[in-house]
Amino acid sequence: MKAEYINPFLESAKIVIEQVVQIRPATGELGLKDIKFVENYIWIQIGLNGQMNGDIVFGLSEQVAMKMVSAMMGGYVISEIDEIVRSAISELGNMISGNASTMLFNQGVRVDITPPKVIQSAQSAGFTAQKALTIPLIMDGIGELDIQVLIAS
């Protein structure tokens, strides 16, 4: 697994979050960790096909998701994870991944992305525990968004 696979997603996430959430995230420590699906968390899974095959997974607590969507909606108070929150978080993952796939294309790596899949429970995740290259984005006043890259080849 190569660290450069995560860079376009990291750069894209910083740009997109700054545009739609109005916060410039700080970058945490790059690491390799086991994927553990815990409750009260939301994951956005996007498949990668082409010269890179695997999944990019964005993970965030439900509290962080509600704060991000609230900021995306101009401060409207969000108090529960509903269809609007799932849709907004899914679109955020889609925007980040689409932008990252363009960056990869410009670097000579052809990759297609699948539509985002929002996963809210560990049981529905459908994949076994595995190691992922991960980097957290820290958003002041909101919390962390973990970017996890699972590359098959």
Side-chain angles (χ1 to χ4, degrees), residues 35-36 38-39 112 127 130:
I35 299 292
K36 290 192 179 100
V38 293
E39 297 309 318
D112 290 319
F127 40 90
Q130 54 184 313

PDB file of all heavy atoms in Angstrom, residues 35-36 38-39 112 127 130:
ATOM      1  N   ILE A  35      -9.349  -1.515  10.600  1.00  0.00           N
ATOM      2  CA  ILE A  35     -10.678  -0.934  10.432  1.00  0.00           C
ATOM      3  C   ILE A  35     -11.576  -1.603  11.467  1.00  0.00           C
ATOM      4  O   ILE A  35     -11.714  -2.824  11.491  1.00  0.00           O
ATOM      5  CB  ILE A  35     -11.233  -1.214   9.024  1.00  0.00           C
ATOM      6  CG1 ILE A  35     -10.344  -0.600   7.963  1.00  0.00           C
ATOM      7  CG2 ILE A  35     -12.662  -0.736   8.893  1.00  0.00           C
ATOM      8  CD1 ILE A  35     -10.346   0.887   7.942  1.00  0.00           C
ATOM      9  N   LYS A  36     -12.153  -0.803  12.334  1.00  0.00           N
ATOM     10  CA  LYS A  36     -13.082  -1.323  13.339  1.00  0.00           C
ATOM     11  C   LYS A  36     -14.376  -0.535  13.202  1.00  0.00           C
ATOM     12  O   LYS A  36     -14.374   0.683  13.283  1.00  0.00           O
ATOM     13  CB  LYS A  36     -12.510  -1.152  14.745  1.00  0.00           C
ATOM     14  CG  LYS A  36     -11.335  -2.067  15.021  1.00  0.00           C
ATOM     15  CD  LYS A  36     -11.008  -2.053  16.504  1.00  0.00           C
ATOM     16  CE  LYS A  36      -9.846  -2.982  16.781  1.00  0.00           C
ATOM     17  NZ  LYS A  36      -8.581  -2.299  16.907  1.00  0.00           N
ATOM     18  N   VAL A  38     -17.612   0.665  14.698  1.00  0.00           N
ATOM     19  CA  VAL A  38     -18.214   0.870  16.013  1.00  0.00           C
ATOM     20  C   VAL A  38     -19.563   1.550  15.840  1.00  0.00           C
ATOM     21  O   VAL A  38     -19.838   2.160  14.810  1.00  0.00           O
ATOM     22  CB  VAL A  38     -17.304   1.722  16.922  1.00  0.00           C
ATOM     23  CG1 VAL A  38     -16.023   0.968  17.270  1.00  0.00           C
ATOM     24  CG2 VAL A  38     -16.971   3.051  16.298  1.00  0.00           C
ATOM     25  N   GLU A  39     -20.385   1.419  16.846  1.00  0.00           N
ATOM     26  CA  GLU A  39     -21.710   2.036  16.779  1.00  0.00           C
ATOM     27  C   GLU A  39     -21.606   3.555  16.970  1.00  0.00           C
ATOM     28  O   GLU A  39     -20.595   4.063  17.425  1.00  0.00           O
ATOM     29  CB  GLU A  39     -22.629   1.410  17.827  1.00  0.00           C
ATOM     30  CG  GLU A  39     -22.865  -0.091  17.602  1.00  0.00           C
ATOM     31  CD  GLU A  39     -23.317  -0.463  16.182  1.00  0.00           C
ATOM     32  OE1 GLU A  39     -24.157   0.236  15.608  1.00  0.00           O
ATOM     33  OE2 GLU A  39     -22.812  -1.472  15.662  1.00  0.00           O
ATOM     34  N   ASP A 112     -12.051   4.920 -11.694  1.00  0.00           N
ATOM     35  CA  ASP A 112     -13.468   5.267 -11.642  1.00  0.00           C
ATOM     36  C   ASP A 112     -13.943   5.061 -10.213  1.00  0.00           C
ATOM     37  O   ASP A 112     -13.444   4.193  -9.503  1.00  0.00           O
ATOM     38  CB  ASP A 112     -14.286   4.363 -12.575  1.00  0.00           C
ATOM     39  CG  ASP A 112     -14.013   4.644 -14.037  1.00  0.00           C
ATOM     40  OD1 ASP A 112     -13.900   5.834 -14.396  1.00  0.00           O
ATOM     41  OD2 ASP A 112     -13.913   3.684 -14.816  1.00  0.00           O
ATOM     42  N   PHE A 127     -17.786  -5.726   5.196  1.00  0.00           N
ATOM     43  CA  PHE A 127     -16.419  -6.158   4.992  1.00  0.00           C
ATOM     44  C   PHE A 127     -15.738  -6.477   6.301  1.00  0.00           C
ATOM     45  O   PHE A 127     -16.074  -5.965   7.345  1.00  0.00           O
ATOM     46  CB  PHE A 127     -15.547  -5.270   4.081  1.00  0.00           C
ATOM     47  CG  PHE A 127     -15.686  -3.791   4.201  1.00  0.00           C
ATOM     48  CD1 PHE A 127     -14.895  -3.066   5.080  1.00  0.00           C
ATOM     49  CD2 PHE A 127     -16.570  -3.093   3.391  1.00  0.00           C
ATOM     50  CE1 PHE A 127     -14.983  -1.693   5.143  1.00  0.00           C
ATOM     51  CE2 PHE A 127     -16.661  -1.725   3.469  1.00  0.00           C
ATOM     52  CZ  PHE A 127     -15.876  -1.025   4.334  1.00  0.00           C
ATOM     53  N   GLN A 130      -9.772  -5.240   8.371  1.00  0.00           N
ATOM     54  CA  GLN A 130      -8.529  -5.253   7.618  1.00  0.00           C
ATOM     55  C   GLN A 130      -7.769  -3.981   7.921  1.00  0.00           C
ATOM     56  O   GLN A 130      -8.286  -3.081   8.553  1.00  0.00           O
ATOM     57  CB  GLN A 130      -8.817  -5.394   6.124  1.00  0.00           C
ATOM     58  CG  GLN A 130      -9.777  -4.353   5.569  1.00  0.00           C
ATOM     59  CD  GLN A 130     -10.102  -4.598   4.107  1.00  0.00           C
ATOM     60  OE1 GLN A 130      -9.208  -4.830   3.318  1.00  0.00           O
ATOM     61  NE2 GLN A 130     -11.366  -4.558   3.760  1.00  0.00           N
TER      62      GLN A 130
END
